Amino acid sequence: MKKMDRRDFFKATMGFAGLSIIMPVISACENNTANEDIQLPMEKPKKWNPIEFNRTRGNKGAIPQSYLPAINGPEGEKKHIGKHLPYIPVLDKSIIIPAGFIPIMWGDPAKGHAPHPNAVPGPDNNFLGHWYNRIEIRRAISVYAQTETSTYSGWPANTDHASGLYISATGGELTSDNGINTVYLAKLPSDVKKGDTIRILAHCLTHGEYVDFLTI
Ligand SMILES: [Fe+2]
């Protein structure tokens, strides 16, 4: 994939796929974080089950009460928890990724998980909007590692208020197909290299906070 820095990329995407409208920062964020009884693993456990971990952590406070019946229900794994877990999409080589960023989508079809939609503020999402407003990435090791946080606002527009970026997996409008083709470009810590396992902690405005590990 071609590389450019974020500023170049931001300029290049102004006007791309209808992203030229600068939206105000959406500050009304439900900041769901888990009860501290559930510690986040620093490195990927040998028997890591992200569905069970996120279900348990979600019931302890990381997921809003209103969504608990869904994650605990019969379709909780694939349609609700799985839908919120990250994966690295295979993108066309013509799609430009700025240097130091990684593309992330949510709800891996290879695992049978439902794709995560994205939406502007409306009655279905308490007028908060439905997108990930924060992605934290660190190298998954047992000792201290730098955490890089990317923030997102005003989906589907890329804004200068945000440190992360949206692109389309298909080159089309981000708003088509309920926003399921939205790719989040998130910053990688400088100590992460190819082949490393990273921990991704991310927050969906409507459905709470989820954690998983990926090897890049
Ligand atoms: Fe969500």
Side-chain angles (χ1 to χ4, degrees):
M1 288 179 282
K2 298 173 190 171
K3 301 284 185 182
M4 60 169 64
D5 67 25
R6 186 190 185 280
R7 182 171 292 277
D8 292 340
F9 184 84
F10 185 77
K11 286 179 183 171
T13 57
M14 292 295 286
F16 169 70
L19 301 181
S20 60
I21 301 169
I22 300 296
M23 300 280 285
V25 177
I26 304 297
S27 58
C29 163
E30 268 192 272
N31 191 22
N32 308 99
T33 51
N35 180 310
E36 288 306 313
D37 291 339
I38 304 290
Q39 294 290 325
L40 293 176
M42 295 178 74
E43 55 186 341
K44 187 177 181 180
K46 285 201 171 89
K47 293 184 179 176
W48 172 244
N49 182 333
I51 300 296
E52 286 309 313
F53 185 88
N54 283 290
R55 182 181 281 127
T56 301
R57 189 168 180 268
N59 282 299
K60 292 273 189 179
I63 292 175
Q65 286 280 340
S66 59
Y67 200 47
L68 296 184
I71 68 153
N72 294 320
E75 298 186 308
E77 175 178 348
K78 294 187 173 174
K79 288 197 173 175
H80 301 290
I81 300 176
K83 183 175 80 173
H84 285 94
L85 300 183
Y87 71 99
I88 299 172
V90 177
L91 299 173
D92 190 275
K93 286 188 170 61
S94 65
I95 293 179
I96 299 167
I97 305 296
F101 282 70
I102 186 174
I104 295 176
M105 295 178 79
W106 318 94
D108 189 350
K111 295 176 180 171
H113 295 166
H116 188 273
N118 294 273
V120 298
D124 293 340
N125 51 51
N126 292 325
F127 297 95
L128 289 172
H130 188 192
W131 65 80
Y132 284 81
N133 67 329
R134 171 172 46 85
I135 301 174
E136 295 179 22
I137 298 178
R138 71 182 287 280
R139 198 173 159 214
I141 53 177
S142 62
V143 295
Y144 169 81
Q146 171 197 352
T147 297
E148 195 69 71
T149 301
S150 299
T151 58
Y152 302 83
S153 60
W155 182 91
N158 279 315
T159 75
D160 248 343
H161 304 293
S163 53
L165 292 158
Y166 311 115
I167 61 171
S168 168
T170 61
E173 294 285 341
L174 291 183
T175 50
S176 64
D177 297 326
N178 293 319
I180 63 171
N181 296 312
T182 300
V183 179
Y184 288 71
L185 299 184
K187 291 187 291 183
L188 277 174
S190 58
D191 62 345
V192 169
K193 59 187 184 308
K194 192 169 174 55
D196 284 345
T197 297
I198 57 174
R199 189 185 75 189
I200 299 176
L201 178 67
H203 182 258
C204 166
L205 279 169
T206 308
H207 297 125
E209 190 180 75
Y210 300 80
V211 63
D212 202 359
F213 296 86
L214 294 177
T215 298
I216 64 171

